[in-house]
Amino acid sequence: MISVHLLTPFPDMVNAIINESILKIAEKKEMVKYTVHNLFSYADPPHHRIDDYPFGGGSGMIMKPEPLSRAIEESTKDVNPGDRVRVIFPTPDGKVLSHATSEELSKADRLIFINGHYKGIDQRIRDRYVTDEISIGDYVLTGGELPTMVILDTVIRLIPGVLNTYESAETDSFANELLDFAHYTRPEEFDGMIVPEILLSGHHQKIATWRLDNQLEKTKKNRPDLFKKYLEPKEESE
Ligand code: 6GU
């Protein structure tokens, strides 16, 4: 069972998402255990401040190191020898999330997510503890909770047994380097629009060819970068 610790000043945001849908089902199936840590409860009384002004000046506040360090120590106190522990800091200046990273993280025994706010966190926490600095794309969000949930969602669904058939993760877009093909269900005609005839034919080989063509066409149009990579001869990549 993978143990997930979420360090945040806004536990309600995190709980709202882990208590629904697949993330919740994974916990019920005992494939994951979530522990949410409220960062304010690790801050010093009487004011319980978790942020402070930046040394060197400038705008915005920085998250203080002590509450983060205490919460991380608490999150790792019962780690077993040999456990694979990753301390993840979602941040727009991190490495952009990929399917490969999600797969790697899904093999860990413990994931600790630091949800940053304000201008960022004290660099010493990154230097001392953080193993993975991950961005979810080239745009800026107001806090770390949504990126954490995005990363966590991609990881949990890859744990074998979480989805009904592991197959349904194996055929994802990106798992096979091309975008997904188009899907149709009943009715055969919807508001004058019909389902491609081949899909109704029962001819498995022709259906497979149609789907691959659909993937190639869509990938070429939406993601020329992926399409180019797909056409290139295979080389050993990281
Ligand atoms: Cl991980 N955090 C924030 N605040 N903004 C982001 C991001 C992360 N990734 C992209 N934008």
Side-chain angles (χ1 to χ4, degrees), residues 90-92 134-137 139-141 143 147:
T91 175
I134 301 175
S135 163
I136 63 163
Y139 43 80
V140 180
L141 293 146

Side-chain angles (χ1 to χ4, degrees), residues 10 12 17 25 32 38 63 97 129 144 168 209 216 233:
F10 303 109
D12 291 348
I17 294 170
I25 292 167
V32 53
N38 184 338
M63 287 173 80
L97 182 63
Y129 296 107
S168 61
T209 304
L216 290 167

